[in-house]
Amino acid sequence: MSAQVWPHIPHEQLIKEEEDSLAAELEWLLEALQDALPSLKSGLEECVALLTPQEPGTTLALSTHRSETIKGVVTRVGTRIVKGRDSRTYKYASPASQRLLSALLTFLNQALDIIDISTWTGDPKNGPFISGQLRLLGDIIHEAQAIMKGGEEVVGGKWWQDDFNGDEMDLNMPLYPSLSPHITLTPSSLLLTVRTLVPGPAASAPGTNGTSTPSSTSGPSLTGLSLRTRLTQILAPMPTPTHDEADRTFLYRGAEVKVRDKVRVEAQDPSLMAVGAKLSAVGREVEAWRGKMAIVMGEEI
């Protein structure tokens, strides 16, 4: 099916009319976008407000689905986990989650800056400029959403690298060397993963301590287990782990280790739920405007 202009007009004039029509449509679209930017900015500002420190903070309950393997509480003040307590790892603060929340807040502030530039600093009637700003805004929102999904690829996601240290921990009792607590994010909660570590293949080899050097009888043990417990493990080996990290070996505190047990507990956070929902809504709106601009300007999304 095709459409024709009647009466017929010269081809050059037809091309000019099409260009004028697209220019008028682009001008209208840019004006409509300027009316929509305050709404996008308001949604992002609400996300920032939910991550702004407000004393005394939010105390969240840690819980395991259908189990009480680990239970406790954590307190979040803005982007900081100021304290936490659970039934296995005692009391701690989490530098990894602070980096994640801080990175999330940084992306939100960058998105607000882009909206301000598109509204006040740059030329709001310049189609290529506004199209580029929308593309950048969409990419930043995508990065923020990736942080909220968690995983090993985001900052602070690699537990064997982002370890606690003495300056960032607040312990009322010594933490067993065989335990590794690590807090990350999910779209609606803080996720605490507690791992029980055992020496890896290199550390288990005779005459080595995991660093390719002769072991010492007086050296510290990674597992923190007594001689009786070690003998028990030899005579009655532990069952084969079934979690997703059972077949992997990690370099943790300078030694190769394997994860024997892995327990995940979540602290549902209403503020993170709201941030995730608002960020998704803003992201969909930005993608819609990018699509409209691409159609009018003949660009690829």
Side-chain angles (χ1 to χ4, degrees):
M1 183 176 180
S2 62
Q4 294 183 348
V5 177
W6 184 263
H8 293 291
I9 61 176
H11 180 71
E12 293 76 9
Q13 184 178 355
L14 178 61
I15 296 299
K16 183 178 181 304
E17 293 293 338
E18 290 177 351
E19 293 176 350
D20 292 343
S21 177
L22 287 175
E25 187 172 357
L26 178 60
E27 182 179 358
W28 172 84
L29 193 61
L30 291 173
E31 292 178 357
L33 176 60
Q34 290 301 313
D35 295 335
L37 286 179
S39 177
L40 298 178
K41 182 178 180 179
S42 176
L44 292 172
E45 286 176 339
E46 291 175 1
C47 293
V48 171
L50 290 169
L51 296 177
T52 300
Q54 296 180 0
E55 296 293 344
T58 304
T59 300
L60 309 169
L62 291 168
S63 61
T64 310
H65 294 298
R66 300 182 297 276
S67 173
E68 292 188 359
T69 304
I70 295 179
K71 55 185 178 180
V73 295
V74 295
T75 300
R76 181 182 63 80
V77 179
T79 60
R80 297 180 296 116
I81 307 298
V82 295
K83 62 181 178 180
R85 181 185 297 274
D86 62 57
S87 57
R88 296 296 178 91
T89 56
Y90 311 109
K91 183 180 178 184
Y92 50 83
S94 173
S97 58
Q98 293 175 21
R99 285 191 289 272
L100 282 170
L101 292 170
S102 297
L104 175 60
L105 185 59
T106 298
F107 280 126
L108 293 175
N109 285 324
Q110 288 177 355
L112 288 172
D113 291 340
I114 291 174
I115 292 180
D116 287 339
I117 291 173
S118 302
T119 305
W120 307 107
T121 307
D123 184 359
K125 295 184 178 181
N126 187 325
F129 169 74
I130 296 298
S131 178
Q133 292 297 103
L134 283 176
R135 185 179 299 274
L136 181 58
L137 179 60
D139 291 343
I140 288 178
I141 292 177
H142 178 74
E143 292 289 341
Q145 290 175 319
I147 286 180
M148 295 201 67
K149 292 179 181 179
E152 293 183 359
E153 301 305 321
V154 300
V155 57
K158 297 181 179 179
W159 63 268
W160 61 95
Q161 295 180 358
D162 296 284
D163 187 26
F164 299 105
N165 59 54
D167 296 333
E168 294 168 321
M169 295 182 68
D170 180 17
L171 298 175
N172 60 353
M173 293 184 67
L175 189 66
Y176 288 115
S178 60
L179 288 180
S180 174
H182 186 250
I183 296 182
T184 55
L185 297 181
T186 69
S188 61
S189 62
L190 298 174
L191 176 63
L192 169 65
T193 304
V194 180
R195 296 171 174 85
T196 303
L197 307 179
V198 294
S204 301
T208 63
N209 60 7
T211 57
S212 301
T213 57
S215 59
S216 170
T217 56
S218 61
S221 170
L222 175 66
T223 61
L225 303 176
S226 64
L227 178 61
R228 182 177 60 181
T229 305
R230 295 182 189 177
L231 291 175
T232 302
Q233 289 183 340
I234 295 174
L235 298 176
M238 296 294 294
T240 303
T242 57
H243 53 79
D244 58 343
E245 295 178 343
D247 298 329
R248 301 177 61 183
T249 301
F250 303 92
L251 185 62
Y252 179 73
R253 295 179 180 176
E256 288 188 358
V257 299
K258 293 182 72 68
V259 179
R260 187 184 67 188
D261 301 309
K262 179 179 178 181
V263 179
R264 295 156 57 99
V265 290
E266 293 185 0
Q268 297 293 328
D269 191 332
S271 295
L272 288 180
M273 294 181 189
V275 169
K278 294 178 184 295
L279 199 56
S280 296
V282 172
R284 288 193 298 268
E285 187 71 12
V286 171
E287 289 300 320
W289 281 106
R290 286 181 62 183
K292 296 173 184 177
M293 293 286 294
I295 292 174
V296 174
M297 299 181 64
E299 299 178 343
E300 292 184 1
I301 301 177

